[in-house]
């Protein structure tokens, strides 16, 4: 018989039922995730477009959620208008030099995951003694969260460290094959290009924009580098990557991804111990509906975006977050641009967290970390695969010191793909067909240089932790939960993969979510109004006059935010964008609890 440490346990929502109504782009994902967590579905309210979700069962008072596109009167009525208003079109379009809509329903997907988070958090709060709550989630706030790092940089005390100008991967081989290149090492970057006989000045000029593309969503490196790859066949390019230590990933199609998709949930969970443990290793403060995780402690050993964002969300729900940083602190604290001497982007994900410096390579410091784990509720990390086990800090190791621990690992691939490349955002986008999903048929496939999967992966990580905490409350067992960028990609591309399964074209039609130019900016029609709106020539009209003309013909549209600094004063958002103690822009919490 297999031990509990290697088998799936009862799912946290297996005694509950749910019903949904409202925008299918949001509620379909909510329903899918609730089913994967064990809940059974009731019939949706026929014709009800209110965006309501109800979760009920014998063990809990009913939980209610409302998901909406935006506040009443904001003009944000669907995915296209939310992308336009929140700056998502502007950031995604930086590579091309003008705003571009994401052909995938990214804001709706993020809203759905946040809605499930709110429902799970409410149940965790109930299990810990809090009153039932009603959570409201807006796609507008989800969009602001998605661009929060770019918004923070736009409001910093200094300018960007790298140029904001059109350009970026993917590259093209002599056969016309599109591919992504990845390395975090300047030596590997230079070695790759030298092996392909690229000009030395282009190699030097290209590294900085390539290195900063995760921060700026563009990479204006010399066109000579594109010319170099177009002059070499793919086998030669692959050989250069192997010799240099860089990695190459050919862009996969959605049809190819559909053939290999394993249908796995975007996260997994298993119990850590044979015997039930106490639900919390220390005396916890009382939770409340708005802070259901109050009194819980999360240790976060996270780098870059995915794990830090997951912990940030748990902190917004009331948990105390303690970052485990290397000696000297997280080097990304100094990444420009800065607010009061601290990286604005770093603050967007890490404000309000306590930090402890620990050298995980030193046994004495690892002992100290285990002592901290013994008093924590969650340990969250995104170290390289195998590193935790090598250090004796894997889930089963830490369960020995804290049987009630929720151990969370946010990775790139979750060991689900054989021979997968480096598990970074753009490589996962390339490998999973996201490059096709986010661009309509009239645009060549290309992974977005907006960090789509790092952000959505962080949302999945927080969702998995909340499910693990609820499972711990129900069973008394510590739990290991795993989430990944691959799981985030599968959630985002789910509608496109289902179109493949039906024999339909998975990509959206030419011109889908293309903003329309005005005399002084851009407007984005709602998806249902886009075909009719394209018949009007708006280029000589001001944005306000163009919107008025479309409105007079019954067509919904909104202005496209092109300068993220303008979001501070944008009347379309009910939740104000504030500034933190360092002066960095801070977006409103994605949920409201009542």
């Amino acid at each position: 018989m297999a031990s509990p440490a290697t088998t799936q346990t009862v799912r946290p929502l297996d005694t509950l039922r749910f019903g949904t109504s409202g925008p299918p782009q949001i509620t379909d994902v909510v329903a899918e995730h609730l089913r994967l967590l064990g809940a059974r579905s009731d019939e949706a309210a026929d014709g009800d477009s209110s965006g309501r979700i109800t979760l009920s069962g014998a063990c809990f008072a009913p939980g209610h959620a409302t998901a909406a596109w935006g506040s009443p009167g904001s003009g944000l009525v669907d995915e296209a208008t939310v992308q336009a208003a929140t700056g998502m079109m502007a950031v995604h379009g930086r590579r091309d030099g003008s705003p571009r809509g994401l052909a995938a329903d990214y804001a709706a997907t993020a809203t759905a995951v946040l809605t499930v988070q709110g429902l799970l958090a409410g149940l965790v709060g109930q299990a810990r003694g809090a009153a039932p709550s009603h959570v409201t989630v807006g796609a507008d706030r989800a969009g602001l969260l998605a661009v929060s790092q770019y918004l923070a940089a736009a409001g910093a005390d200094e300018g960007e460290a790298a140029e904001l100008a059109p350009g970026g991967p993917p590259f093209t081989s002599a056969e016309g094959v599109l591919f992504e290149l990845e390395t975090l090492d300047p030596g590997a970057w230079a070695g790759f290009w030298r092996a392909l006989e690229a000009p030395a000045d282009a190699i030097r000029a290209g590294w900085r924009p390539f290195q900063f593309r995760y921060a700026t969503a563009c990479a204006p490196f010399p066109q000579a580098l594109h010319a170099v790859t177009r002059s070499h066949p793919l086998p030669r390019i692959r050989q250069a990557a192997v010799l240099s230590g860089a990695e190459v990933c050919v862009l996969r199609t959605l049809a190819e991804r559909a053939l290999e998709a394993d249908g796995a949930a975007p996260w997994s969970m298993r119990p850590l111990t044979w015997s039930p443990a106490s639900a919390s290793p220390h005396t916890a403060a009382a939770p409340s509906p708005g802070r259901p995780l109050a009194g819980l402690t999360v240790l976060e050993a996270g780098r870059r975006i995915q794990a830090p964002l997951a912990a940030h969300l748990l902190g917004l729900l009331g948990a105390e977050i303690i970052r485990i940083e290397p000696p000297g602190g997280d080097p990304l604290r100094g990444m420009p641009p800065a607010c009061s001497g601290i990286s604005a982007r770093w603050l967007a994900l890490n404000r309000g967290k306590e930090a402890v410096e620990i050298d995980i390579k030193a046994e004495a410091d690892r002992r100290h970390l285990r002592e901290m784990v013994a008093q924590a509720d969650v340990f969250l990390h995104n170290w390289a695969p195998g590193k935790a086990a090598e250090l004796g800090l894997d889930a089963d190791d830490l369960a020995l010191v804290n049987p009630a621990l929720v151990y969370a690992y946010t990775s790139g691939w979750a060991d689900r793909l054989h021979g997968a490349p480096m598990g970074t955002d753009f490589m996962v986008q390339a490998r999973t067909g996201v490059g096709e999903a986010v661009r309509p048929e009239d645009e060549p496939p290309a992974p977005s240089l907006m960090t789509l999967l790092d952000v959505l992966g962080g949302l999945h990580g927080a969702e998995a932790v909340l499910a693990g905490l609820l499972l711990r409350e129900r069973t008394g067992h510590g739990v290991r939960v795993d989430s990944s960028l691959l799981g985030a990609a599968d959630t985002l591309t789910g509608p496109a993969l289902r179109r493949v399964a039906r024999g339909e074209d998975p990509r959206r039609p030419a011109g889908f979510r293309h903003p329309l130019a005005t005399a002084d900016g851009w407007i984005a029609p709602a998806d249902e109004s886009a075909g009719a709106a394209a018949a009007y020539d708006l280029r000589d009209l001001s944005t306000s006059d163009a919107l008025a003309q479309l409105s007079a013909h019954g067509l919904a549209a909104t202005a496209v935010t092109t300068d993220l600094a303008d979001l501070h004063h944008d009347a379309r958002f009910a939740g104000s964008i504030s500034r933190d103690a360092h002066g960095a822009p801070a977006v409103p919490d994605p949920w409201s609890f009542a």
Side-chain angles (χ1 to χ4, degrees):
M1 179 182 294
S3 74
T6 59
T7 57
Q8 178 83 17
T9 189
V10 61
R11 292 180 291 179
L13 302 183
D14 69 336
T15 64
L16 303 183
R17 301 185 67 87
F18 71 91
T20 64
S21 64
Q25 300 101 312
I26 299 173
T27 56
D28 285 357
V29 178
V30 171
E32 178 189 15
H33 282 212
L34 292 178
R35 281 193 293 266
L36 289 170
L37 290 166
R40 293 167 295 168
S41 61
D42 292 321
E43 291 296 321
D46 188 31
D48 189 342
S49 61
S50 59
R52 293 183 299 180
I53 300 96
T54 300
L55 191 60
S56 60
C59 299
F60 297 95
H64 301 280
T66 301
W69 292 113
S71 58
S74 65
L76 307 187
V77 297
D78 71 347
E79 177 75 27
T81 51
V82 169
Q83 286 190 25
T86 58
M88 292 174 61
M89 285 187 176
V91 175
H92 173 61
R94 285 179 181 176
R95 177 189 178 278
D96 301 288
S98 62
R100 290 286 190 277
L102 290 158
D105 293 332
Y106 189 85
T109 303
T111 302
V113 178
L114 288 162
T115 300
V116 176
Q117 287 177 17
L119 288 167
L120 289 170
L123 294 178
V124 172
Q126 278 195 53
R128 301 180 61 234
S133 60
H134 183 126
V135 61
T136 300
V137 184
D140 53 352
R141 293 192 177 192
L144 291 175
L145 180 66
V147 301
S148 60
Q149 292 187 84
Y150 307 100
L151 171 61
D157 299 337
E158 56 189 12
E160 288 280 7
E163 182 184 9
L164 296 183
F171 297 96
T172 309
S173 73
E175 304 95 332
V177 176
L178 295 171
F179 68 91
E180 272 286 341
L181 172 69
E182 183 65 282
T183 178
L184 307 179
D185 178 4
W189 164 268
F192 172 81
W193 292 108
R194 282 198 297 265
L196 296 178
E197 301 177 339
D201 57 345
I203 297 173
R204 287 192 298 270
W207 169 246
R208 188 171 183 83
F210 181 83
Q211 177 190 26
F212 276 87
R213 72 198 191 284
Y214 281 92
T216 61
C218 58
F221 42 67
Q223 287 301 308
L225 298 183
H226 283 290
V228 166
T229 64
R230 285 194 294 266
S231 69
H232 291 294
L234 186 62
R236 173 84 185 276
I237 291 168
R238 290 190 186 278
Q239 181 185 37
V242 171
L243 292 174
S244 64
E247 292 199 37
V248 161
C249 181
V250 171
L251 268 63
R252 295 290 187 100
T253 65
L254 288 162
E256 288 174 318
R257 175 61 189 148
L259 288 174
E260 68 177 6
D262 56 11
W267 11 246
S268 63
M269 53 196 72
R270 64 173 175 85
L272 288 180
T273 54
W274 284 93
S275 302
S278 60
S280 181
H282 58 278
T283 301
S288 64
R291 294 175 59 81
L293 303 189
L296 301 185
T297 299
V298 176
L299 301 182
E300 175 228 317
R303 301 174 301 168
R304 300 170 75 90
I305 298 173
Q306 186 184 12
L309 175 57
H312 174 66
L313 293 168
L314 299 173
L316 294 179
L317 291 167
E320 177 188 12
I321 312 298
I322 302 175
R323 275 182 58 78
I324 307 302
E325 299 188 0
D330 186 347
L332 293 182
R333 287 177 183 265
M335 182 181 185
C339 285
S340 302
I342 302 176
S343 169
R345 290 190 180 88
W346 188 91
L347 287 168
L349 301 178
N350 297 293
R351 64 172 56 89
K353 298 178 182 177
E354 183 183 341
V356 176
E357 294 182 13
I358 289 182
D359 182 359
I360 58 174
K361 297 179 181 179
E363 177 55 37
D365 277 19
R366 289 199 298 273
R367 283 197 301 271
H368 179 45
L369 179 56
R370 293 187 188 98
E371 292 169 356
M372 295 176 65
V373 166
Q375 298 300 315
D377 298 277
V378 178
F379 180 71
L380 167 67
H381 74 90
N382 63 343
W383 293 331
K387 185 174 182 179
E390 176 187 326
L391 296 171
L393 298 173
D394 209 353
D396 294 328
D397 299 314
L398 297 185
L400 297 175
V401 299
N402 184 352
L405 184 69
V406 174
Y407 182 101
Y409 181 37
T410 61
S411 67
W413 299 104
D415 293 328
R416 285 172 50 198
L417 283 183
H418 177 69
M422 189 185 305
T424 56
D425 189 312
F426 305 145
M427 295 293 265
V428 178
Q429 285 196 52
R431 181 64 177 76
T432 59
V434 173
E436 275 198 344
V438 299
R439 291 186 177 263
E441 286 181 327
D442 56 336
E443 298 180 17
S448 177
L449 287 180
M450 181 177 167
T451 50
L452 300 181
L453 298 187
D454 274 337
V455 170
L456 192 55
L459 267 60
H460 278 70
E463 182 184 32
V465 169
L466 289 163
L469 285 168
L470 182 60
L471 194 56
R472 182 183 76 167
E473 293 294 336
R474 287 194 57 199
T475 67
H477 291 286
V479 182
R480 170 168 179 154
V481 297
D482 288 76
S483 60
S484 65
L485 300 183
L486 175 59
D490 285 347
T491 299
L492 181 62
T493 59
L497 295 176
R498 287 189 284 275
R499 289 194 289 272
V500 171
R502 295 193 297 265
E504 301 170 3
D505 188 339
R507 300 187 71 188
R508 309 305 279 175
F512 186 66
R513 291 188 185 144
H514 278 194
L516 305 176
T518 66
D520 58 355
W522 300 81
I523 64 169
D527 285 337
E528 289 189 356
S529 300
Y536 294 90
D537 187 351
L538 309 173
R539 290 172 295 180
D540 293 332
L541 298 178
S542 68
T543 297
S544 59
D545 287 346
L547 290 172
Q549 183 180 93
L550 294 182
S551 178
H553 290 87
L555 302 177
T558 197
V560 176
T561 296
T562 55
D563 184 350
L564 269 62
D566 293 341
L567 289 171
H568 288 277
H569 314 291
D570 197 315
R572 290 174 290 186
F573 302 110
S576 61
I577 297 171
S578 59
R579 290 189 179 270
D580 65 17
H582 300 277
V587 301
D589 290 1
W591 329 267
S592 298
F593 290 91

